[in-house]
Amino acid sequence: MTAVAELMDYADVIERFDPVLGLEVHVELNTNTKMFCGCANEFGGEPNTKVCPTCLGMPGALPVVNGKAVEGAIRIGLALNCEIAEWCRFARKNYFYPDMPKNFQTSQYDEPIAFNGYLDVTLDDGEIVRVEIERAHMEEDTGKSLHVGGATGRIHGAEHSLLDYNRAGVPLIEIVTKTIEGTGERAPEVARAYVSALRDLLSALDVSDVRMDQGSLRCDANVSLMAKDATDFGTRTETKNVNSLRSVERAVRYEMTRQAAILADGGSIKQETRHFQEADGSTSPGRTKETAEDYRYFPEPDLVPIAPSREWVEELRGTLPEMPSERRKRIQQEWSLSDEALRDLLNVGAVDLVAATVEAGATPDEARGWWVNTLAQEANTREVELADLAISPAQVAEVIGLVTSGELTNKLAKEVVQGVLAGEGSPREVVEKRGLKVVSDDSALLAAIDEALAGQPDVAEKIRGGKVAAAGAIVGAVMKATKGQADAKRVRELIIERVGS
């Protein structure tokens, strides 16, 4: 059993050390086929059914580059303000993993297709931080190992392992930042904001489904600490395959507090990969981290170099959509949002969700209210990203429409949302199954009002005497009798009419 790590208080970490980050984000492209063969590029499926001699690394099988993947790589590079190489090639990255059938990964080493870019990211308070991009290069994904038995699901303690090569050969773009310095106490927030901004950009480009929960987008977070008076970087660790925005922030923060405690005690940091533990936000040791020399890179002899013409690059530049930052500025103007309101949307990741809800027929204020308040609370309770909730913008717009038409009250609408989130069907199906329609028949409401007035004659006298506020007690009784399915405003109107007649 791994011993619990000593941690330093975060405020003390910031007082004594400067954090240094490096973020590597792997993006699976949504091409129809894999990077170097014609196998289907699809998530899931029966193990080892989407494979062929090429992606299984069989002797004599030769790779062919996926042209759409190259196109996607160039578009990503352009969107990240990168230079696009006039000539680049693939290399073999040699290392042994059971889930890598060739015992090398076809990747790019010193000649990436895109390099020297940047991405401006907005923090929670509106501050903009420029994250510089070292490179964005093409490669292929590995297969997946399933370790059976043991308590952790990892190889240590497992009884045996199973291998699924369906993912082997899936097109990947690895986006590597330059060293990120000077962020101080906001380093974890910067890491989260960067991955969030990158996810939004890739989604806008439509080059990936960016599903972090399925591994389509995953982040390796490199963290090191420098003493305040130091001039050299500290030894880094690399927390691998972090698969949610919240986890990226937690992983960076944890590593800062863990490393600081070791350094303060006179110890040294081991250069290694680490695994993030979702349950408690900690990291655990993986393997000793290799250097580039350990991979024995050499040019891939079975693939010709790639030399995208400048005409093609400019043609692809013309296909770039409105970038998320530009879209937010436009939306802010169109919806008349204050800077604070826009930040609220950004902080919960709701801009695109609200926009899609508006496109489905809701007003901006209605859509914003549901996503920023009710649904953001649901996401927080369930510890998932807002976009990962099991309700679509179209369904939220449908709920809003039912409220606007008078078929639902806001209270009933929240019950409908709960039903949708529970997988009970569309909003209208939930309304029917749960019997949640507003009681709009005046005769039924009057019967409930008469019963409530009979039970509280003193309240009726107060209303007759001009104390209209006393009607609230009768409204409450009617709402209880109708299980909250009455329109409170209409009930109040009927009470005044009844008592005054």
Side-chain angles (χ1 to χ4, degrees), residues 167-184:
R167 197 178 67 180
V170 165
L172 275 184
I173 303 298
E174 182 176 355
I175 301 167
V176 182
T177 69
K178 295 182 180 180
T179 302
I180 304 171
E181 304 175 66
T183 55

Side-chain angles (χ1 to χ4, degrees), residues 57-293:
M58 297 295 185
L62 294 176
V64 177
V65 174
N66 185 325
K68 289 297 290 184
V70 176
E71 178 181 306
I74 294 173
R75 294 180 73 237
I76 290 172
L78 291 171
L80 290 172
N81 304 291
C82 289
E83 299 176 47
I84 305 301
E86 296 189 14
W87 188 95
C88 63
R89 58 182 172 179
F90 287 96
R92 290 188 179 184
K93 182 180 182 181
N94 296 274
Y95 62 103
F96 173 76
Y97 257 30
D99 55 16
M100 192 165 62
K102 298 184 294 189
N103 289 339
F104 66 84
Q105 180 186 33
T106 305
S107 180
Q108 291 188 304
Y109 174 44
D110 55 345
E111 299 164 311
I113 193 164
F115 53 94
N116 287 343
Y118 66 87
L119 180 63
D120 289 333
V121 302
T122 304
L123 303 187
D124 291 349
D125 63 356
E127 180 184 345
I128 296 177
V129 174
R130 174 162 292 187
V131 176
E132 296 188 334
I133 307 297
E134 176 74 34
R135 56 195 279 139
H137 66 258
M138 298 178 287
E139 59 187 24
E140 60 181 337
D141 214 339
T142 60
K144 294 179 70 174
S145 298
L146 176 65
H147 305 299
V148 182
T152 65
R154 300 195 181 279
I155 193 168
H156 301 293
E159 297 174 359
H160 61 276
S161 298
L162 301 174
L163 297 172
D164 179 8
Y165 291 116
N166 280 347
R167 197 178 67 180
V170 165
L172 275 184
I173 303 298
E174 182 176 355
I175 301 167
V176 182
T177 69
K178 295 182 180 180
T179 302
I180 304 171
E181 304 175 66
T183 55
E185 65 179 348
R186 307 194 74 172
E189 182 188 349
V190 169
R192 170 178 55 80
Y194 167 73
V195 178
S196 176
L198 190 57
R199 185 178 71 168
D200 289 347
L201 182 146
L202 295 166
S203 179
L205 290 172
D206 194 26
V207 292
S208 171
D209 64 13
V210 293
R211 288 284 300 272
M212 296 189 77
D213 59 317
Q214 293 183 357
S216 300
L217 181 72
R218 49 194 191 264
C219 176
D220 297 343
N222 293 270
V223 179
S224 66
L225 296 178
M226 296 173 62
K228 289 291 184 179
D229 58 353
T231 56
D232 296 328
F233 293 153
T235 301
R236 65 184 173 90
T237 63
E238 181 180 14
T239 304
K240 300 286 288 184
N241 297 327
V242 187
N243 63 359
S244 79
L245 300 179
R246 178 171 177 265
S247 296
V248 169
E249 184 169 9
R250 293 171 74 200
V252 171
R253 187 183 182 97
Y254 181 87
E255 271 302 288
M256 288 171 62
T257 57
R258 185 190 71 86
Q259 292 183 24
I262 293 172
L263 294 171
D265 196 40
S268 59
I269 304 302
K270 183 179 180 182
Q271 183 169 316
E272 62 185 357
T273 63
R274 296 184 68 84
H275 303 295
F276 181 71
Q277 309 299 327
E278 291 284 354
D280 60 5
S282 67
T283 66
S284 59
R287 69 177 193 276
T288 300
K289 180 61 181 171
E290 301 90 343
T291 63
E293 289 75 15

Side-chain angles (χ1 to χ4, degrees), residues 246-470:
R246 178 171 177 265
S247 296
V248 169
E249 184 169 9
R250 293 171 74 200
V252 171
R253 187 183 182 97
Y254 181 87
E255 271 302 288
M256 288 171 62
T257 57
R258 185 190 71 86
Q259 292 183 24
I262 293 172
L263 294 171
D265 196 40
S268 59
I269 304 302
K270 183 179 180 182
Q271 183 169 316
E272 62 185 357
T273 63
R274 296 184 68 84
H275 303 295
F276 181 71
Q277 309 299 327
E278 291 284 354
D280 60 5
S282 67
T283 66
S284 59
R287 69 177 193 276
T288 300
K289 180 61 181 171
E290 301 90 343
T291 63
E293 289 75 15
D294 295 323
Y295 290 123
R296 294 177 293 114
Y297 282 100
F298 64 87
E300 168 57 69
D302 293 333
L303 290 170
V304 298
I306 295 172
S309 70
R310 297 304 90 180
E311 292 77 15
W312 186 38
V313 170
E314 291 309 308
E315 181 183 328
L316 292 177
R317 193 189 302 276
T319 70
L320 297 182
E322 182 181 32
M323 291 294 104
S325 58
E326 298 167 355
R327 185 167 180 245
R328 286 168 189 150
K329 291 177 184 176
R330 174 177 58 78
I331 284 175
Q332 183 176 13
Q333 291 179 339
E334 291 179 356
W335 296 353
S336 300
L337 296 178
S338 66
D339 289 344
E340 182 180 5
L342 181 62
R343 281 201 299 273
D344 288 342
L345 287 176
L346 291 171
N347 291 346
V348 297
V351 173
D352 290 339
L353 295 168
V354 171
T357 306
V358 171
E359 290 172 4
T363 68
D365 285 346
E366 290 169 335
R368 191 160 54 89
W370 276 93
W371 284 107
V372 173
N373 298 317
T374 304
L375 291 166
Q377 290 174 7
E378 285 291 334
N380 187 54
T381 299
R382 297 164 189 252
E383 295 187 347
V384 299
E385 302 298 334
L386 191 60
D388 294 334
L389 284 176
I391 188 167
S392 68
Q395 289 173 325
V396 174
E398 187 178 345
V399 171
I400 292 170
L402 291 172
V403 174
T404 302
S405 68
E407 294 180 63
L408 293 177
T409 62
N410 280 322
K411 181 179 179 181
L412 291 175
K414 290 179 180 178
E415 287 191 52
V416 172
V417 167
Q418 290 294 329
V420 175
L421 292 172
E424 297 175 19
S426 70
R428 286 195 177 275
E429 289 172 338
V430 174
V431 169
E432 294 299 325
K433 290 176 182 177
R434 294 195 178 191
L436 296 176
K437 279 188 177 179
V438 167
V439 177
S440 56
D441 180 2
D442 280 0
S443 61
L445 294 177
L446 287 169
I449 289 170
D450 289 342
E451 184 178 345
L453 289 170
Q456 302 183 64
D458 56 325
V459 176
E461 286 303 319
K462 290 179 181 178
I463 299 172
R464 290 191 184 97
K467 295 182 178 179
V468 179

